[in-house]
Amino acid sequence: MIKLIEKIEGEAKLNFSFKDNKIDDVSVDFMSTRHVEDILKGKTPLDALVINPRVCGICGHAHLIATVRALEACYEDIQISNKAKIIRELTLTFELIQNHFKWFYLTIFPFFGVKQEIAKALYPTQLMGKAIAVFGGQYPHTSYAIVGGVVCEVTNMDIIKVQRYIDETTDFFEKNVLSIQNSDLKTLNTLNDLSHVKGDLRDILKKIEQNDWQNLGKSYDRFIAFGESSYFKKGKSIKTRVTQNLAIDDVKETDSTTSFAKSVHYHDQYYEVGPLARAMIGKNPLIKDAHRRYGDSIFTRILARVYEIPQLLEHTKILIESLDLSEPSYIKPEVDISQLNAVGISAVEAARGTLIHKVEIEDLKIKSYEIITPTQWNLCGGHEQNLGVSQKAMIGLDNVKLAEMVFKTFDVCSVCTTH
Amino acid sequence: MKKTRVLWLTLMSCNGNTHSFLNYPYIEQFLNDFEFIYHPIIDSDYTLEEIISQDIACDILLIEGSVADDFIKAGVPGIDIIKRYAKIVEKIVTVGTCATFGGIFRESNYKDVSGLHFQEERRTDKYNDLFEKTVSISGCPVHPEVLVSTLYAIKKGLSLKLDAYLRPKEYFSYTIHNGCTRNEYFEYKVDNHHFGELEGCMFYDHGCRGPFTHGSCNKILWNEVNSKTRAGLPCMGCTEPSFPKRNIFETKKNMGIPEFLPVGVSKRTYLTLAGITKAFTIDRLEKKLFDD
């Protein structure tokens, strides 16, 4: 049975086969691409800063940050001010936060007998968009992070304005999503601690339990994250055993015969990326407790993603306080990037997980460009002997609607997956 | 009043216009007056499969993304969906630069990628019968207020004044330069711009296309707070047929004169003006804005 999955920044086709009334196999096909990697070939390196945000309308900022870091990785030595680094992390974090809100209220809600909450999705989304725009001029599709720093100068008043957006978003989260205070983040360590908490997330988790869905959607229980920041750690977690040693060169893509999306693996194995992966690698006590109880199920996955919001908001407050406005925003590189013949790789944590960019510059131009998106990790199809992460999570379910829900807990983004 | 029925059809796109639209501050009010028979994110009464296989009553067709004959949407050529609904609707709106001029994806590997009526500046003549019905709202992405207000104007039956590319003049007669906080540096030709500063104008060295790009970015601002040029990022001309140009962060010059000049300004006038402005030094503009 073929099911067209819609409203995922495009579409995907799931082709199910059933045995004894349970899903026994499912193929995941993405049906169109835009050849962004080819479009980049032959362009001036800096033009990638304009083209790449247009890989994706919902996480384009992560593509910008991945691009600028890949370009900067082409230098043996390049000076970036701490201020520029912090501002980039801030705007990337704002994008993560708004993605999480949109996914929760627009994508996840309808599976639980409730309508999309458009106002609740968009109010914090717009605040985070404003916060990015203060630095980047606009959201979506700014290219404000350039090789050497950021184009904007920031004033005290800008900071005050952005702090109000953060506070308002925090307030919104506490009033609507989870009735906790920032100070609770350290004391919320178990699911029991969550029991007195109210809010939309609590309601969804309750519905998962009432429907007896808390063990649905389990996959390999293998997680990976390559993007390091002042908040996220790089590492992998296999059944709670976390190791930090990763070699980005061992991430490989494989073409598919039926889908425009290439599958991604590390040492020939598929890994889940995203907020749940980050929480497992970062050993977040609350998420680890949910994982202890329900494994890598939709319960844990949804909780991990929404619970990342207050932590990220808290972190942006710390980041802003650490800004030294007297530092330069931009330090002109001594050598222009087009003069280099080099390869640069970057990894950033986007809303849905690890995003990798790899650029090769030769004779003043981009010779090749490779983009590996989070949704490729999570959603791409493998084959019978080695199923993809989302495929494995859907097998054994008894109906297509549940499979669609499980599929969407990974948060599908078709445009990113095929780019 | 009856809600206006809208089909939001996304073709070869990053969905950036969809998300830009979600930044419109009063969407709930908008949804009191309009309903999406299909939208890429917002729930709708019909599935895409139903939209594709039936003729659903509809008033306005919004097209997002570039158009190519061989681009397949959910199993059918995207262009077939356009043709089906073009017959049904009163108006077609091309949302964003891809749908209007081909945009960034005209360099993808599909055949003959274009906007609905234009491939860059050139009229394609492929869908001439739809030309009269079409309004273009270019921009990469589209500005949410420009889109929403245009839809209301259509709903009200206003006769919109359109430019040669079918863009509403009320938004596209301005240049991006209008309202930029860096204007004085441009006017007095203070041409030593450095990235990362509040001061300076990106026109002279860093590729800013603001003086010859049409749009209202600096009049109505983005996310209600800022614009690229105010932040210090050159305008990339994203509302224009030629977007994206190459070497975007560079101002191409011939004998020291920028290749592209402000709309309506000849080389000769520009040189005269440049000569005059060079004659005076404005201390305030040579210093940091917030100098002690």
Side-chain angles (χ1 to χ4, degrees):
Chain A
M1 165 186 188
I2 294 174
K3 167 84 179 161
L4 185 72
I5 308 292
E6 304 181 5
K7 311 216 178 202
I8 49 168
E9 323 307 323
E11 295 80 34
K13 198 169 67 186
L14 299 185
N15 194 347
F16 296 98
S17 58
F18 282 80
K19 196 173 165 186
D20 302 330
N21 294 321
K22 288 200 187 295
I23 295 169
D24 151 69
D25 189 24
V26 50
S27 71
V28 181
D29 296 335
F30 291 90
M31 300 160 292
S32 62
T33 169
R34 295 157 297 147
H35 319 110
V36 173
E37 289 160 342
D38 292 337
I39 292 174
L40 288 160
K41 273 183 206 159
K43 294 276 196 314
T44 306
L46 288 184
D47 286 0
L49 296 168
V50 177
I51 292 166
N52 288 347
R54 275 109 179 153
V55 167
C56 179
I58 186 164
C59 67
H61 204 71
H63 284 280
L64 171 69
I65 303 299
T67 306
V68 78
R69 288 194 193 155
L71 292 173
E72 287 169 354
C74 291
Y75 287 84
E76 278 176 26
D77 185 30
I78 184 169
Q79 226 191 331
I80 312 294
S81 71
N82 216 22
K83 175 176 151 189
K85 285 182 194 163
I86 292 171
I87 292 173
R88 288 178 186 178
E89 266 199 39
L90 275 170
T91 55
L92 177 59
T93 308
F94 295 145
E95 181 179 79
L96 263 61
I97 294 167
Q98 66 112 324
N99 270 243
H100 293 355
F101 275 112
K102 276 182 182 163
W103 172 77
F104 181 58
Y105 281 120
L106 301 177
T107 305
I108 292 303
F109 254 48
F111 287 105
F112 294 91
V114 267
K115 278 194 164 169
Q116 283 183 332
E117 288 269 12
I118 292 171
K120 284 185 180 178
L122 298 189
Y123 183 65
T125 288
Q126 290 176 6
L127 288 167
M128 292 291 95
K130 285 175 196 291
I132 297 172
V134 168
F135 298 107
Q138 70 177 61
Y139 186 82
H141 290 352
T142 175
S143 304
Y144 92 113
I146 55 168
V147 174
V150 291
V151 301
C152 58
E153 177 57 307
V154 179
T155 68
N156 285 311
M157 298 306 175
D158 292 332
I159 296 302
I160 289 168
K161 185 148 74 170
V162 170
Q163 284 174 323
R164 298 293 75 73
Y165 298 140
I166 296 171
D167 287 347
E168 180 69 10
T169 308
T170 305
D171 203 41
F172 176 88
F173 183 87
E174 291 169 1
K175 279 188 182 135
N176 294 281
V177 186
L178 216 49
S179 63
I180 52 168
Q181 304 283 312
N182 276 326
S183 53
D184 294 345
L185 292 175
K186 288 187 183 60
T187 57
L188 271 181
N189 293 322
T190 65
L191 290 182
N192 277 343
D193 297 338
L194 262 191
S195 57
H196 67 282
V197 175
K198 293 185 173 60
D200 294 333
L201 174 62
R202 188 77 206 101
D203 293 347
I204 293 293
L205 295 178
K206 269 187 200 154
K207 283 183 182 166
I208 292 176
E209 289 172 327
Q210 283 159 6
N211 289 314
D212 209 15
W213 288 346
Q214 59 273 43
N215 286 301
L216 290 190
K218 290 183 183 178
S219 187
Y220 287 110
D221 209 357
R222 272 200 306 254
F223 305 99
I224 208 160
F226 281 90
E228 278 175 294
S229 70
S230 63
Y231 193 69
F232 294 127
K233 290 193 184 78
K234 175 173 140 178
K236 63 185 165 69
S237 164
I238 300 174
K239 301 197 190 303
T240 73
R241 200 173 64 84
V242 176
T243 48
Q244 244 83 45
N245 270 349
L246 293 179
I248 203 165
D249 291 334
D250 293 339
V251 176
K252 304 281 183 219
E253 285 187 307
T254 311
D255 285 328
S256 158
T257 49
T258 53
S259 169
F260 280 110
K262 294 176 187 169
S263 64
V264 181
H265 34 90
Y266 181 71
H267 290 158
D268 295 326
Q269 289 193 307
Y270 295 116
Y271 285 81
E272 177 170 349
V273 297
L276 175 54
R278 297 194 280 256
M280 293 304 292
I281 292 158
K283 298 183 178 166
N284 181 286
L286 177 66
I287 305 308
K288 285 198 69 167
D289 189 51
H291 179 269
R292 205 160 18 244
R293 245 192 259 184
Y294 302 133
D296 55 339
S297 71
I298 61 162
F299 182 99
T300 320
R301 199 171 291 125
I302 292 172
L303 174 63
R305 185 153 185 193
V306 179
Y307 192 60
E308 203 176 72
I309 298 173
Q311 300 173 73
L312 291 177
L313 282 167
E314 184 62 12
H315 186 64
T316 60
K317 292 173 193 170
I318 297 163
L319 277 178
I320 281 206
E321 290 296 340
S322 67
L323 268 178
D324 177 357
L325 296 188
S326 69
E327 289 179 16
S329 296
Y330 170 77
I331 301 167
K332 192 174 175 176
E334 280 172 23
V335 182
D336 188 80
I337 181 132
S338 58
Q339 303 300 316
L340 304 175
N341 286 317
V343 174
I345 302 181
S346 68
V348 305
E349 286 304 307
R352 294 160 188 76
T354 295
L355 169 67
I356 296 171
H357 279 215
K358 183 176 174 182
V359 61
E360 188 178 3
I361 303 171
E362 198 180 277
D363 298 335
L364 312 172
K365 300 274 185 281
I366 294 171
K367 187 183 175 202
S368 69
Y369 207 108
E370 187 181 3
I371 297 172
I372 297 176
T373 61
T375 44
Q376 276 177 264
W377 287 95
N378 285 344
L379 303 169
C380 282
H383 49 79
E384 238 169 273
Q385 291 79 31
N386 195 6
L387 295 167
V389 171
S390 71
Q391 277 178 311
K392 174 139 172 81
M394 288 184 282
I395 284 183
L397 298 173
D398 57 14
N399 75 68
V400 166
K401 190 75 195 161
L402 281 183
E404 184 184 354
M405 175 174 71
V406 167
F407 191 60
K408 284 190 173 177
T409 60
F410 291 99
D411 199 7
V412 192
C413 175
S414 168
V415 289
C416 262
T417 314
T418 56
H419 48 272
Chain B
M1 198 155 87
K2 194 172 140 281
K3 285 191 186 184
T4 304
R5 290 164 67 92
V6 181
L7 167 57
W8 186 305
L9 177 68
T10 303
L11 298 176
M12 201 189 311
S13 166
C14 69
N15 286 38
N17 302 295
T18 295
H19 285 279
S20 189
F21 165 70
L22 295 182
N23 283 333
Y24 185 69
Y26 316 107
I27 284 200
E28 289 200 298
Q29 298 308 318
F30 174 82
L31 292 175
N32 287 335
D33 298 321
F34 293 84
E35 71 174 292
F36 287 111
I37 63 165
Y38 191 79
H39 182 274
I41 289 176
I42 295 173
D43 273 347
S44 46
D45 285 345
Y46 302 94
T47 64
L48 185 59
E49 283 174 315
E50 287 166 339
I51 295 289
I52 288 173
S53 58
Q54 303 167 27
D55 289 347
I56 313 284
C58 184
D59 302 306
I60 304 175
L61 168 63
L62 305 185
I63 302 171
E64 170 182 32
S66 328
V67 178
D69 288 348
D70 52 347
F71 184 82
I72 304 296
K73 169 88 173 171
V76 300
I79 200 67
D80 289 359
I81 315 173
I82 293 181
K83 286 178 187 159
R84 179 189 284 264
Y85 281 90
K87 280 185 233 142
I88 299 171
V89 298
E90 297 281 316
K91 280 274 178 205
I92 299 168
V93 178
T94 59
V95 178
T97 295
C98 285
T100 306
F101 301 116
I104 210 148
F105 302 117
R106 68 170 191 267
E107 290 182 54
S108 66
N109 304 339
Y110 296 90
K111 265 182 254 142
D112 227 8
V113 182
S114 68
L116 184 65
H117 298 300
F118 303 97
Q119 191 178 46
E120 302 190 48
E121 286 88 355
R122 189 179 67 84
R123 261 294 283 280
T124 62
D125 290 331
K126 265 189 186 170
Y127 309 106
N128 274 347
D129 50 329
L130 311 180
F131 199 77
E132 293 296 314
K133 272 191 182 186
T134 306
V135 175
S136 310
I137 310 177
S138 56
C140 186
V142 76
H143 192 291
E145 183 178 324
V146 177
L147 172 62
V148 169
S149 296
T150 303
L151 292 179
Y152 271 100
I154 292 171
K155 185 181 174 75
K156 284 181 164 186
L158 302 180
S159 73
L160 288 167
K161 289 196 172 108
L162 305 177
D163 70 10
Y165 300 119
L166 306 174
R167 302 180 296 190
K169 284 188 176 174
E170 216 170 305
Y171 291 111
F172 291 91
S173 294
Y174 296 90
T175 65
I176 305 306
H177 180 68
N178 291 147
C180 177
T181 50
R182 294 165 187 270
N183 272 356
E184 286 178 304
Y185 299 92
F186 175 84
E187 285 155 11
Y188 301 112
K189 205 168 185 297
V190 184
D191 56 4
N192 59 339
H193 170 262
H194 301 280
F195 284 119
E197 293 182 357
L198 294 174
E199 303 82 6
C201 169
M202 288 82 73
F203 171 76
Y204 298 104
D205 283 316
H206 291 131
C208 184
R209 307 177 72 83
F212 49 91
T213 295
H214 297 86
S216 292
C217 294
N218 274 305
K219 179 170 178 277
I220 52 182
L221 299 182
W222 281 85
N223 310 80
E224 303 186 299
V225 294
N226 210 355
S227 73
K228 285 208 288 291
T229 63
R230 288 186 179 193
L233 185 61
C235 164
M236 290 143 190
C238 79
T239 55
E240 298 293 11
S242 58
F243 179 76
K245 297 291 263 192
R246 296 193 166 220
N247 304 319
I248 295 165
F249 289 90
E250 251 176 64
T251 302
K252 199 174 170 199
K253 294 177 206 167
N254 301 320
M255 317 258 288
I257 305 164
E259 187 184 6
F260 298 100
L261 295 172
V263 179
V265 174
S266 69
K267 244 180 206 143
R268 202 189 161 97
T269 321
Y270 180 82
L271 279 174
T272 312
L273 205 65
I276 296 168
T277 53
K278 275 286 167 200
F280 49 95
T281 307
I282 299 165
D283 196 36
R284 186 171 66 86
L285 299 180
E286 301 293 336
K287 292 194 305 191
K288 295 296 265 182
L289 255 179
F290 305 150
D291 229 8
D292 298 326

